[in-house]
Amino acid sequence: DAMVIQNPRYQVTQFGKPVTLSCSQTLNHNVMYWYQQKSSQAPKLLFHYYDKDFNNEADTPDNFQSRRPNTSFCFLDIRSPGLGDAAMYLCATSRDWGTLLNEQFFGPGTRLTVL
Amino acid sequence: AQKITQTQPGMFVQEKEAVTLDCTYDTSDQSYGLFWYKQPSSGEMIFLIYQGSYDEQNATEGRYSLNFQKARKSANLVISASQLGDSAMYFCAMREPLSLGNEKLTFGTGTRLTIIP
């Protein structure tokens, strides 16, 4: 089945130790998004790619970077995780913009713990 | 900037009863889209239903329907005949255009729904 896959589902890292979260999709969608969701809060968009074009939200800390080497894969790099970065990280895709529905398809998320 | 408001942090509903989850929005755009997502404890966001601003009919998807009142800027989700598996967090979201060819979803704070046997 076509889907959005995130690995790992659970990630534990140490304070200040770089960590990379992975997202892949078999939907062949143009747009990929990374959201951060802290406990009992709404998802917050960090950045997204339209194809290879990177779009960073104005309030996304510099500590967060992203790479999209091809259509299928997108990575979230946290260069120096702090305790406040512990959260669920959700990857999502959508086919394109400008369509009426343009539903976003979400992966299962990666829950990051920072020790 | 757009804003989504969900005023019910939590709701408890008896199994098999209908439930309405409230969502109001604020936008100056004429063209917009409203979404409802379900998030079980596993974490995945599951798309439920969509309403476009120009759609004259309320959207329906199985047991889910969207009570769209454009003049009041509300887009409430109605779940008929609730089931135990409906227990989850529910988010209302709006598609927000950022610039030409660039958009994002803005989410409300969510409502935690618990179905009681």
Side-chain angles (χ1 to χ4, degrees):
Chain A
D1 290 339
M3 58 177 60
V4 182
I5 303 162
Q6 289 188 247
N7 286 307
R9 294 292 309 277
Y10 300 90
Q11 176 74 56
V12 180
T13 190
Q14 291 181 327
F15 182 94
K17 184 175 181 180
V19 65
T20 295
L21 308 183
S22 166
C23 177
S24 64
Q25 54 129 340
T26 60
L27 298 162
N28 203 32
H29 283 172
N30 286 326
V31 194
M32 295 188 77
Y33 307 80
W34 278 106
Y35 291 86
Q36 179 193 63
Q37 186 180 23
K38 296 189 177 180
S39 182
S40 301
Q41 294 185 19
K44 179 182 176 299
L45 183 66
L46 295 174
F47 27 58
H48 64 276
Y49 276 93
Y50 184 93
D51 234 353
K52 293 183 179 181
D53 293 332
F54 177 71
N55 296 273
N56 197 34
E57 290 296 291
D59 56 355
T60 297
D62 293 339
N63 198 26
F64 291 86
Q65 304 287 322
S66 185
R67 297 169 283 136
R68 189 178 185 186
N70 53 53
T71 300
S72 301
F73 285 87
C74 194
F75 301 97
L76 169 62
D77 301 309
I78 308 177
R79 293 192 296 187
S80 181
L83 298 179
D85 296 328
M88 174 76 89
Y89 289 87
L90 295 165
C91 174
T93 73
S94 65
R95 184 180 299 110
D96 209 328
W97 288 314
T99 59
L100 288 176
L101 172 51
N102 198 32
E103 169 194 349
Q104 289 191 18
F105 294 81
F106 284 81
T110 294
R111 190 172 296 279
L112 178 67
T113 300
V114 181
L115 301 177
Chain B
Q2 298 180 342
K3 184 178 178 181
I4 297 285
T5 303
Q6 295 181 254
T7 57
Q8 307 152 310
M11 289 188 69
F12 291 85
V13 173
Q14 203 75 37
E15 188 181 7
K16 299 182 184 178
E17 288 186 353
V19 56
T20 297
L21 305 181
D22 295 340
C23 173
T24 58
Y25 60 92
D26 185 23
T27 181
S28 56
D29 295 316
Q30 296 301 311
S31 178
Y32 52 88
L34 296 157
F35 300 76
W36 276 93
Y37 282 87
K38 171 185 179 182
Q39 188 177 40
S41 56
S42 58
E44 183 177 359
M45 297 283 279
I46 302 167
F47 167 74
L48 295 178
I49 198 166
Y50 166 82
Q51 181 84 39
S53 58
Y54 293 117
D55 294 340
E56 295 184 354
Q57 300 288 331
N58 285 342
T60 59
E61 288 287 346
R63 293 188 300 112
Y64 304 107
S65 61
L66 201 151
N67 184 1
F68 182 48
Q69 298 190 36
K70 195 170 182 177
R72 296 184 178 183
K73 293 188 175 179
S74 74
N76 298 338
L77 177 70
V78 180
I79 306 174
S80 63
S82 58
Q83 303 171 356
L84 296 178
D86 294 333
S87 294
M89 196 76 168
Y90 288 80
F91 289 97
C92 181
M94 172 181 281
R95 185 173 65 231
E96 175 182 357
L98 299 174
S99 60
L100 186 62
N102 194 2
E103 61 181 50
K104 70 175 185 180
L105 280 181
T106 299
F107 288 86
T109 51
T111 296
R112 184 169 298 280
L113 176 65
T114 303
I115 306 299
I116 305 167

